[in-house]
Amino acid sequence: MLSNLRRHASNPVRVSQILSSLRSQSASASPSLSDEPSQPPPNPISKSELETLILNKYERHRFRDIVRDVVSSPPVLLSACRNLFSRSHGGGDPAAFETRSACDRLSIDELSLELKEDRFDVRARCVEMRPFGRKGEPLIVADLKLKVVMEAVRMALEVIYDKRFVTLSYGGRVGMGRHTAIRYLKSSVENPNWWFRVGLCRGRFGPRHVEKLMEVFAEKVDDRILLDLIVGFFDSGVVRFEFGGFCMGRGFPQESCLDSMLVNVYFHGLDREIQDLRLEIGRSNPRYGREEITDTGRVFYKPVKVYAVRYLDEILVITSGSKKLALNLKDRVVDYLEGNLGVNVDKSETAIHSAVSEKMEFIGMVLRAVTPSVLRPLMSEKATRARKKYLRQREMRALELKNARETIRKKLGLKIFNNLFKKLKRGKKFEFEYNIEDEVRDIFREWAGETVREFFGSQEECWRWHRKLTSGDFLSLKRIRDQLPGELVEAYDRFQENVDKYLMPGRPNKIFEEENIIEGNRGDEVEETDGDDSDGEQEDRRRYEERTVEDLTKLCMKVDAPIRLVREAVRMAGFTNSMGRPRPIELLCCLEDAEIVKWYAGVGKRWLDFFCCCHNFKMVKTIVNYHLRFSCILTLAEKHESTKREAIKHYTKHLKVSNGKVDEVHFPTEREIKMMGDRNLSDPMPVDGVLCLALLRLAFDVPSGSCVAHFCDREDTHIYRVRLLQNHLNVDPLNEKKWVKGMGVIHNSLNHKCLPLCSRHVSDLFLGRISLQDIDCTSYVDIP
């Protein structure tokens, strides 16, 4: 960060240009009597320009006047609007964002003036939504203007803190999501001995935590307006989260875009403390290179290492050292949390476990320490036989192609010679525009070389010719050699040497040794011959020894999906009955066929994306491919009062639905599911939001306005009523005995609320491309 600051400070021309452009845009956006109505709106600021602008406010080790000069500027507010537009349109093209429409809808100039003059009222931009039946805690939701301000604040905080965060901090950062943390655990953790997960007592982020957070901000930010604005977010209730809860990073409407950033800033001191502990242990246990170890074949050096991962409020610490070291690490982490951050730690959940014999649950996954052979098992005998059979078939196909090419060459050569012979008999001369003798000579040399290589490649032919050429060796008799000329005897001896050199069975053939070396480097051998069986056995023995040594000296990280919890969630949501068999969901029967398929497809794709990094991903595939697919088929059959066979015959197993012109397939096909895996490890969308949500279109026409998605100007909307499955099933999510542990729920205040949505955003909500955070919940329609 300091290097970037020096780089930008050393280029004052660039900084002055950005500042002057922002001032001109702000002046053009500010209301004035002399301004014309056709004044062009300002353009959104880019990320690099925003970074340059904020770094220019760095004075005396702190950032100053962030709200007055950065957050309140119209280009930054428009950039925040563009980010909200991109998220609400499923990651659409930001170029499709219309600046003038955003300025007209939000009055960017007035909002900029309110922020600059510190007149922005947070409470006036909040809407209180009470649950259906007036029971339960209300939900405070921000309107669109407040969401824009919060996004602008998040952008500024990201520039200030993102590069300062420690590498063990995951969640709420670009390129540092859930799957990135899992990839780090799978690729970096070796030989774990002890680990512990810090369990936090469930409690709200209260006033004392807000004070601690302001102290952390005061270390790098000197802006009273910004700190008062963040405190106003907490006081109004629009930003609130719980430690040890299940609503962080799930995309629920009770979250905000600022939650992840504030959590990372709050735990930044703990991250630095853990990083200092890792460096201290690393200095006390230095690494040794291979040249420093005298006998590398017998000594296995395992340095003591400490690994740590924090995903929002979940903390995991792993060590390859002793249990005493793990106890010291746990005590220091717990003391820092309780003493410096004021967080209550659940001592029963923060227990040290053996990584060799016990599993660990972390960020919705199950971690185990296993040997490398478990992650990369050897092929079974059946698979080995199948591979050998495939190699033999490939060899036979290659031999057939070779014979076919030789046959074609022979036919072509005979035709050429026949034609030439006929013309020579007639006394005709051949005239060519160019000399083809060299080309013909090369072709025949190539054919002759192939014939010779084929001859030498056959051991039987070599044996037969060697027996013929060496039988009756009468010239080896001394009395006959003395009577013959010396040149004849020498020629015969050289001939016998060449015969023994190239045709003697059992001796290495130099020609084919070189060819085998070349083919081995290419890696294209089809199958080893009988003479190379010993080399193959040695290679297999060497691999077996290496795998045995790895299994005895190394432990890797295995990541599994909690299959039992996934099956329980499937049963709880109504996909299966008590026997574990698919069943229809009657609540969805009032939807259109395409919407039913999209709802199931959204749940299935999110589950597949969420667990694609797991080792037992095939079991998740089975749940999605069987339970969800047939539950969707049964729901369609229930809606149309038909049988399962008739539904499969009409929709097929791929669940094709017609849009009037062509058939569309939204549910992932079996081929797509088979191709999924840990090759695509982007940060997954949370599945809980779609699993608990059902949107039911009203049967009667109600006057509706524009779509409630952020910055969607479509007027052809329909009214959809929000129904939460936990209320439909009469299940209390707070009761862990009746609800899936670790599975979050949408706030009860949105139940029975009516939202005007266009066809595109309804489809995106069903398919899981957007969440309820990407719509303006304050624009709901109150229909009894």
Side-chain angles (χ1 to χ4, degrees):
M1 178 68 74
L2 293 177
S3 61
N4 293 334
L5 179 62
R6 296 190 188 98
R7 184 176 67 251
H8 291 294
S10 61
N11 191 5
V13 178
R14 174 62 178 164
V15 175
S16 61
Q17 289 177 355
I18 294 176
L19 290 175
S20 61
S21 63
L22 289 176
R23 292 192 189 98
S24 61
Q25 291 177 1
S26 302
S28 63
S30 59
S32 178
L33 297 175
S34 61
D35 289 343
E36 298 180 359
S38 61
Q39 186 73 19
N43 296 323
I45 192 172
S46 64
K47 188 175 181 179
S48 60
E49 293 177 344
L50 177 63
E51 182 178 357
T52 304
L53 185 62
I54 292 180
L55 292 179
N56 190 50
K57 297 298 177 182
Y58 188 77
E59 298 178 3
R60 295 190 296 276
H61 307 289
R62 289 198 291 181
F63 295 89
R64 305 175 187 276
D65 297 333
I66 299 298
V67 174
R68 291 184 184 274
D69 297 338
V70 180
V71 176
S72 62
S73 63
V76 176
L77 295 175
L78 287 175
S79 181
C81 295
R82 186 178 58 185
N83 291 346
L84 296 178
F85 169 83
S86 179
R87 295 173 194 166
S88 63
H89 287 71
D93 186 11
F97 173 69
E98 297 182 1
T99 305
R100 184 173 293 279
S101 176
C103 292
D104 295 340
R105 176 178 296 189
L106 295 180
S107 300
I108 296 295
D109 49 356
E110 296 180 3
L111 179 60
S112 174
L113 195 60
E114 290 178 4
L115 290 172
K116 192 169 296 185
E117 297 178 356
D118 195 12
R119 294 187 294 104
F120 184 76
D121 190 1
V122 177
R123 292 184 179 273
R125 296 297 175 182
C126 299
V127 177
E128 185 182 78
M129 300 177 63
R130 293 196 169 273
F132 183 74
R134 304 295 179 181
K135 294 181 180 180
E137 186 179 3
L139 175 64
I140 308 299
V141 184
D143 64 354
L144 185 58
K145 184 173 288 189
L146 181 54
K147 284 187 176 181
V148 171
V149 175
M150 294 171 67
E151 176 64 19
V153 173
R154 187 202 65 81
M155 292 165 53
L157 294 179
E158 182 180 8
V159 174
I160 296 173
Y161 283 98
D162 189 66
K163 293 183 179 179
R164 300 177 182 271
F165 288 146
V166 187
T167 55
L168 59 92
S169 172
Y170 295 88
R173 302 175 60 189
V174 178
M176 300 286 284
R178 190 185 304 265
H179 280 172
T180 311
I182 294 297
R183 185 191 293 117
Y184 167 76
L185 292 174
K186 292 169 63 175
S187 61
S188 300
V189 177
E190 292 184 1
N191 303 316
N193 291 334
W194 303 95
W195 55 18
F196 64 91
R197 182 176 62 88
V198 180
L200 304 181
C201 296
R202 190 162 185 175
R204 181 170 295 180
F205 195 84
R208 60 190 182 97
H209 301 111
V210 176
E211 293 179 1
K212 293 282 185 181
L213 180 63
M214 294 302 106
E215 293 177 2
V216 176
F217 275 124
E219 295 178 0
K220 289 298 176 185
V221 178
D222 185 12
D223 190 351
R224 182 190 56 81
I225 300 178
L226 178 61
L227 301 184
D228 292 344
L229 197 61
I230 296 176
V231 172
F233 294 155
F234 283 101
D235 293 342
S236 62
V238 70
V239 173
R240 60 176 183 176
F241 47 84
E242 294 182 351
F243 292 127
F246 306 124
C247 298
M248 298 187 67
R250 304 296 182 95
F252 293 140
Q254 57 263 32
E255 298 182 69
S256 68
C257 59
L258 265 178
D259 287 358
S260 300
M261 178 59 64
L262 296 179
V263 169
N264 288 331
V265 173
Y266 189 74
F267 285 102
H268 180 51
L270 175 65
D271 297 341
R272 290 186 298 182
E273 181 71 15
I274 296 176
Q275 188 70 10
D276 293 340
L277 289 174
R278 294 179 61 187
L279 295 176
E280 179 182 346
I281 295 173
R283 286 192 296 267
S284 60
N285 298 275
R287 299 182 181 180
Y288 293 95
R290 290 182 175 270
E291 65 279 357
E292 299 181 45
I293 301 177
T294 57
D295 192 355
T296 58
R298 297 181 180 180
V299 177
F300 300 98
Y301 176 68
K302 297 180 181 180
V304 178
K305 296 182 180 179
V306 176
Y307 308 93
V309 173
R310 182 185 62 80
Y311 183 83
L312 297 180
D313 61 339
E314 298 186 56
I315 306 168
L316 175 67
V317 180
I318 308 172
T319 177
S320 60
S322 62
K323 187 176 182 180
K324 183 178 180 181
L325 175 61
L327 285 171
N328 293 333
L329 290 173
K330 189 197 74 165
D331 293 340
R332 293 187 64 172
V333 171
V334 172
D335 292 343
Y336 191 91
L337 285 171
E338 294 181 342
N340 295 60
L341 299 181
V343 180
N344 296 326
V345 179
D346 189 352
K347 301 299 178 59
S348 61
E349 293 290 335
T350 313
I352 295 177
H353 300 273
S354 173
V356 180
S357 58
E358 297 180 79
K359 64 181 181 181
M360 179 67 67
E361 296 182 1
F362 183 65
I363 58 177
M365 313 290 180
V366 179
L367 308 180
R368 300 176 186 270
V370 297
T371 57
S373 60
V374 176
L375 297 178
R376 298 179 294 275
L378 291 173
M379 289 192 301
S380 62
E381 295 182 1
K382 183 178 180 181
T384 305
R385 290 195 301 268
R387 178 170 177 79
K388 289 183 178 180
K389 181 180 178 181
Y390 165 73
L391 293 176
R392 286 195 298 269
Q393 291 176 353
R394 192 174 70 174
E395 181 184 8
M396 294 303 297
R397 287 195 296 267
L399 184 60
E400 291 175 359
L401 291 175
K402 181 180 179 181
N403 294 335
R405 287 195 299 268
E406 290 180 354
T407 303
I408 294 173
R409 288 175 181 177
K410 290 178 181 179
K411 291 182 179 180
L412 179 61
L414 289 175
K415 288 182 180 181
I416 292 174
F417 283 124
N418 190 17
N419 189 17
L420 291 174
F421 181 71
K422 287 180 180 180
K423 290 186 176 182
L424 287 174
K425 285 180 66 176
R426 295 171 185 172
K428 294 185 177 181
K429 295 182 179 180
F430 300 99
E431 295 180 358
F432 300 98
E433 295 181 359
Y434 59 93
N435 190 6
I436 62 171
E437 294 180 0
D438 296 337
E439 297 183 6
V440 173
R441 188 180 294 108
D442 294 338
I443 293 173
F444 278 95
R445 185 184 296 111
E446 182 181 355
W447 291 356
E450 291 182 359
T451 305
V452 172
R453 283 194 296 270
E454 182 181 1
F455 169 76
F456 282 111
S458 176
Q459 297 291 334
E460 296 179 359
E461 290 290 334
C462 292
W463 177 270
R464 185 167 60 88
W465 280 100
H466 184 272
R467 186 172 60 250
K468 287 182 178 181
L469 294 174
T470 57
S471 62
D473 190 6
F474 63 95
L475 290 182
S476 60
L477 300 177
K478 187 175 184 306
R479 61 179 179 272
I480 296 180
R481 293 171 64 90
D482 294 341
Q483 298 177 11
L484 294 176
E487 296 179 358
L488 177 61
V489 174
E490 292 178 1
Y492 174 76
D493 292 340
R494 287 195 300 268
F495 174 74
Q496 287 298 326
E497 289 177 1
N498 291 328
V499 169
D500 293 339
K501 178 180 179 181
Y502 292 102
L503 301 179
M504 173 67 75
R507 289 191 178 183
N509 193 326
K510 293 185 178 179
I511 298 176
F512 284 92
E513 272 189 20
E514 297 176 356
E515 292 182 356
N516 288 335
I517 292 173
I518 296 173
E519 291 178 359
N521 292 334
R522 293 176 181 173
D524 297 331
E525 298 136 330
V526 180
E527 188 177 2
E528 294 181 351
T529 59
D530 296 337
D532 296 332
D533 288 342
S534 59
D535 297 337
E537 292 178 358
Q538 292 179 0
E539 181 67 20
D540 293 341
R541 190 181 300 109
R542 184 185 62 81
R543 292 178 180 175
Y544 176 76
E545 292 175 354
E546 289 180 356
R547 293 180 66 89
T548 304
V549 171
E550 283 187 353
D551 288 346
L552 294 175
T553 60
K554 186 178 180 181
L555 288 177
C556 300
M557 192 65 64
K558 179 185 176 185
V559 181
D560 287 336
I563 298 298
R564 184 183 62 83
L565 297 181
V566 173
R567 294 185 185 276
E568 189 176 353
V570 168
R571 182 186 59 81
M572 190 67 64
F575 295 107
T576 59
N577 54 19
S578 58
M579 300 295 293
R581 296 181 179 179
R583 62 175 295 273
I585 299 180
E586 299 177 355
L587 180 64
L588 304 176
C589 291
C590 59
L591 296 175
E592 297 291 337
D593 295 350
E595 293 176 347
I596 293 175
V597 176
K598 289 177 181 178
W599 188 85
Y600 278 95
V603 177
K605 287 182 178 179
R606 284 195 175 188
W607 254 332
L608 293 173
D609 291 340
F610 192 87
F611 293 114
C612 69
C613 60
C614 298
H615 188 263
N616 59 347
F617 181 56
K618 291 183 179 180
M619 302 182 72
V620 182
K621 291 180 183 179
T622 303
I623 295 175
V624 173
N625 197 25
Y626 176 71
H627 293 85
L628 268 68
R629 188 186 300 273
F630 279 94
S631 177
C632 182
I633 291 173
L634 292 172
T635 303
L636 293 171
E638 180 79 12
K639 173 185 175 182
H640 296 285
E641 298 180 355
S642 61
T643 63
K644 182 179 69 173
R645 292 183 179 272
E646 293 175 352
I648 293 175
K649 184 177 180 180
H650 183 269
Y651 297 100
T652 71
K653 286 188 177 181
H654 297 299
L655 296 173
K656 295 181 179 180
V657 291
S658 177
N659 62 350
K661 297 180 181 179
V662 295
D663 293 338
E664 296 179 348
V665 178
H666 301 285
F667 199 90
T669 62
E670 296 182 3
R671 182 176 180 84
E672 292 175 353
I673 294 175
K674 288 181 180 179
M675 296 300 293
M676 288 184 178
D678 58 355
R679 290 185 296 273
N680 183 18
L681 290 182
S682 59
D683 198 19
M685 292 288 288
V687 71
D688 298 343
V690 178
L691 184 61
C692 304
L693 174 67
L695 297 175
L696 308 182
R697 181 176 172 181
L698 298 185
F700 52 89
D701 294 333
V702 179
S704 59
S706 60
C707 181
V708 295
H710 295 159
F711 301 102
C712 181
D713 297 329
R714 293 185 59 175
E715 299 289 341
D716 52 338
T717 59
H718 299 282
I719 301 297
Y720 288 84
R721 189 183 294 275
V722 177
R723 293 294 301 273
L724 303 181
L725 290 183
Q726 67 265 21
N727 294 339
H728 177 71
L729 299 172
N730 295 323
V731 178
D732 184 13
L734 299 179
N735 188 355
E736 295 184 357
K737 296 182 180 180
K738 295 184 178 181
W739 192 251
V740 182
K741 182 180 179 181
M743 177 178 167
V745 292
I746 299 174
H747 199 276
N748 195 28
S749 298
L750 266 75
N751 194 31
H752 287 274
K753 294 295 188 295
C754 296
L755 302 173
L757 292 165
C758 62
S759 58
R760 173 180 179 178
H761 286 98
V762 168
S763 177
D764 289 344
L765 272 174
F766 280 128
L767 291 174
R769 296 172 184 157
I770 63 175
S771 64
L772 290 177
Q773 283 188 357
D774 301 319
I775 65 175
D776 186 10
C777 296
T778 61
S779 301
Y780 67 92
V781 181
D782 194 3
I783 299 176

